[in-house]
Amino acid sequence: MSRVRRHVTLDEPLLFERSSPGKSGCQLPPLDVPEVDAEQALGSNLVRREVRGFPEVSEVEVVRHFTRLSSWNYAIDLGLYPLGSCTMKYNPRLNEAVARIDGIASAHPYQPESLSQGLLEIQRTLEAFLGEICGMDAVTLQPAAGAHGELTGLLLIRAYHEANGDPRRVVLIPDSAHGTNPATASIAGYDVLEIASNASGMIDVARLKAAVDDSVAALMVTNPNTVGIFERDIQEVARILHAGGAQLYMDGANMNALAGIARPGDFGVDVMHLNLHKTFSTPHGGGGPGAGPVAVREHLEPFLPLPRIFDDPHGLRFDWDRPKSIGRVRAFYGNFGVLVRALSYILAHGGDGLRNATVDAVLNANYVRKGLEGHYDLPYNAASMHECVFSDSRQSRRGVKTGDIAKRLIDYGFHPYTVSFPLIVRGALMIEPTETESKRELDAFISAMQAIAEEVERDADLVRKAPFNTRTSRVDETRAARKPVVVWEPRSRK
Ligand SMILES: *Cc1c(COP(=O)(O)O)cnc(C)c1O
């Protein structure tokens, strides 16, 4: 069959390539007021003399162009999004409806407290639920993201040590940590000391013990860690730190593996953050608003950021008079819409539902692990929590790297997994299916990954050149990041 050119294709030309001279998206009526000179009216620095190559197109051409491009976007509403460490789960529409309720969506941050009682109640209730889920005594909802929560948490630890007259300067971080952890510790003014993991991918307790002295302010640990393994020795880790006068910080971004099953406060954590945009179902990716609430044990409560909500005989009020507080970490009261979605998600699930979601997340990750373990190398053979991490060591013998496998996965219609992270696994393939995926969707993903493993054996070159079903295949990623081309130059197009 001879090739035909489909009218609407996945090879949408650039808007510039649709341009024809003199076309315009709007028509203005003839001028009925005196003409003014743009340069005189606006100032010459604001008037462009020449707009070279600017596309001249009609309104419908613009609308169709962007509508077509938008349909190329891979989203959680389209299919499995197995990006490890990111918890890309489906976000129920109910949460969106609740966040848009009039009176919530249209509230103004300068609205007086007396007219904001329901909004304050939302925050108070969410604080209580998150405290209960984490087994902690108090929660601030203000940090705007996970990394912001980390910074807030470390500033609390700093304030605590300083109040005890014992400022310390070192933060210990396992080598499996998310990159934000060392960055946060450094921005909070601490020296970072890395703790190497043991052969099982967990914190090496003996190494930790040797590292804890009176200069150590805290250990930042992710549990389950970034290789998807629960830190079994966490209680012993907490005991060692506390005996040395240090605090235990937990990066709770992976709470999707624990909620309703285990509470960090019960295994010795002093302070932690949550990623509401991961565990508590807010749409994320692409830089949209998130929230990184911080939960603390009682001894850190006096240092929490301003303001705090308290019960007054006349209703709920903000308390600004807290002399030990680290102060403000954000304008107003956090990303309120995200907080509403999280509360809606928690209420809709209830305790049993949250627990079920966790169990299903862990089950799905183990199902994927079992489906792929004959095809890809598993560096750590412990049972997975919410995600599983493979390495490309088998495929790299044939010259195929984790990035090549991810590109080939695009041809099969899936968003890639997380590539080359965590750093302690060479050539990592990090997969987090989440609980919202059906067995059918997981099976389709497993088949695609198995098919790619077979392709590597048969025709490694094919996988190295993928993807084939996209407008652009391989780009020089380093150059694209360092020297992006943001100016369009006309070029001829067949
Ligand atoms: C996502 C993530 C973070 C950072 O959260 P942001 O909201 O992106 O700032 C930190 N630690 C871990 C383990 C994560 O997965």
Side-chain angles (χ1 to χ4, degrees):
M1 197 178 79
S2 61
R3 263 174 75 86
V4 294
R5 197 181 148 78
R6 285 178 58 199
H7 178 55
V8 175
T9 72
L10 287 182
D11 196 16
E12 173 72 8
L14 300 178
L15 204 48
F16 300 92
E17 292 162 352
R18 289 206 183 275
S19 180
S20 54
K23 249 194 198 181
S24 164
C26 59
Q27 280 185 329
L28 298 177
L31 204 58
D32 61 356
V33 292
E35 196 167 337
V36 291
D37 182 63
E39 218 160 284
Q40 257 182 3
L42 298 172
S44 61
N45 57 327
L46 294 179
V47 177
R48 259 201 248 176
R49 305 215 153 275
E50 190 193 7
V51 187
R52 204 159 53 88
F54 206 76
E56 296 177 79
V57 284
S58 69
E59 179 177 323
V60 65
E61 282 172 325
V62 174
V63 168
R64 284 191 183 153
H65 176 72
F66 286 106
T67 303
R68 287 170 187 169
L69 291 189
S70 74
S71 74
W72 298 7
N73 217 356
Y74 197 96
I76 191 66
D77 289 348
L78 200 63
L80 174 75
Y81 211 122
L83 213 46
S85 201
C86 295
T87 314
M88 303 299 284
K89 57 170 142 181
Y90 173 74
N91 309 290
R93 288 296 181 274
L94 174 66
N95 308 339
E96 296 303 315
V98 174
R100 284 166 175 71
I101 289 175
D102 205 28
I104 291 180
S106 60
H108 193 280
Y110 281 135
Q111 208 165 286
E113 285 163 357
S114 61
L115 297 179
S116 309
Q117 288 298 301
L119 305 170
L120 289 164
E121 189 68 43
I122 287 173
Q123 295 179 69
R124 262 276 285 248
T125 311
L126 181 61
E127 283 182 7
F129 282 156
L130 296 179
E132 173 65 26
I133 289 167
C134 298
M136 306 293 273
D137 300 315
V139 174
T140 173
L141 301 174
Q142 291 183 33
H148 193 195
E150 292 172 30
L151 180 62
T152 304
L154 282 206
L155 293 178
L156 296 172
I157 289 174
R158 169 176 285 275
Y160 169 77
H161 284 307
E162 281 173 0
N164 291 340
D166 180 21
R168 296 178 166 215
R169 54 177 186 79
V170 176
V171 167
L172 306 176
I173 302 183
D175 57 2
S176 61
H178 195 265
T180 48
N181 291 187
T184 296
S186 172
I187 285 180
Y190 287 107
D191 296 334
V192 173
L193 191 67
E194 190 174 276
I195 304 289
S197 302
N198 62 23
S200 320
M202 293 190 287
I203 293 176
D204 190 318
V205 174
R207 283 212 187 101
L208 175 73
K209 207 168 196 168
V212 174
D213 60 23
D214 60 12
S215 72
V216 172
L219 168 77
M220 287 181 96
V221 66
T222 307
N223 199 16
N225 62 27
T226 56
V227 279
I229 295 174
F230 187 79
E231 295 281 355
R232 282 160 194 269
D233 298 323
I234 192 70
Q235 281 176 298
E236 175 64 2
V237 165
R239 206 194 51 73
I240 293 168
L241 289 163
H242 292 151
Q247 297 281 291
L248 178 55
Y249 182 92
M250 187 176 116
D251 178 330
N254 293 343
M255 210 46 202
N256 213 44
L258 300 187
I261 303 284
R263 306 196 314 165
D266 296 341
F267 53 69
V269 169
D270 297 294
V271 46
M272 64 180 289
H273 79 266
L274 293 162
N275 280 44
L276 296 190
H277 45 295
K278 293 181 181 169
T279 314
F280 298 97
S281 181
T282 275
H284 69 296
V294 170
V296 297
R297 299 298 305 274
E298 207 172 8
H299 62 281
L300 293 173
E301 194 273 341
F303 306 100
L304 284 176
L306 293 174
R308 300 285 300 149
I309 298 171
F310 76 107
D311 250 322
D312 180 86
H314 306 294
L316 294 170
R317 301 256 319 268
F318 282 122
D319 183 3
W320 294 93
D321 183 22
R322 294 172 51 87
K324 289 187 176 174
S325 165
I326 60 168
R328 305 211 65 161
V329 297
R330 196 189 180 283
F332 301 117
Y333 319 111
N335 279 332
F336 197 74
V338 178
L339 307 181
V340 174
R341 287 176 181 85
L343 181 59
S344 162
Y345 176 82
I346 290 171
L347 285 171
H349 276 71
D352 288 345
L354 289 179
R355 188 188 161 89
N356 249 345
T358 301
V359 170
D360 285 348
V362 173
L363 179 65
N364 280 359
N366 280 284
Y367 186 73
V368 169
R369 191 174 72 103
K370 279 285 165 200
L372 297 182
E373 69 185 2
H375 300 79
Y376 294 90
D377 174 67
L378 254 186
Y380 301 108
N381 207 6
S384 296
M385 294 296 286
H386 60 304
E387 60 198 0
C388 51
V389 179
F390 293 91
S391 91
D392 65 8
S393 70
R394 268 187 227 183
Q395 288 73 26
S396 66
R397 275 182 238 124
R398 304 188 64 87
V400 174
K401 300 283 172 51
T402 175
D404 302 318
I405 300 164
K407 298 267 191 212
R408 185 63 176 145
L409 199 51
I410 296 171
D411 282 338
Y412 281 85
F414 287 97
H415 192 282
Y417 48 80
T418 293
V419 171
S420 300
F421 179 81
L423 300 178
I424 58 166
V425 173
R426 203 188 155 86
L429 292 70
M430 186 195 216
I431 302 166
E432 180 180 7
T434 82
E435 72 280 8
T436 55
E437 299 309 320
S438 65
K439 179 167 176 297
R440 181 189 300 230
E441 188 80 6
L442 297 181
D443 285 337
F445 174 72
I446 291 168
S447 308
M449 289 293 290
Q450 289 174 346
I452 296 170
E454 280 154 25
E455 283 175 344
V456 172
E457 299 304 317
R458 264 199 334 269
D459 187 0
D461 212 38
L462 172 104
V463 179
R464 268 199 304 269
K465 290 188 180 136
F468 300 97
N469 296 345
T470 51
R471 178 179 162 99
T472 303
S473 182
R474 298 272 174 139
V475 296
D476 179 339
E477 291 177 6
T478 312
R479 234 180 83 219
R482 301 252 164 98
K483 295 184 178 163
V485 179
V486 291
V487 178
W488 179 76
E489 293 296 342
R491 73 181 151 91
S492 67
R493 189 183 148 80
K494 276 203 291 222

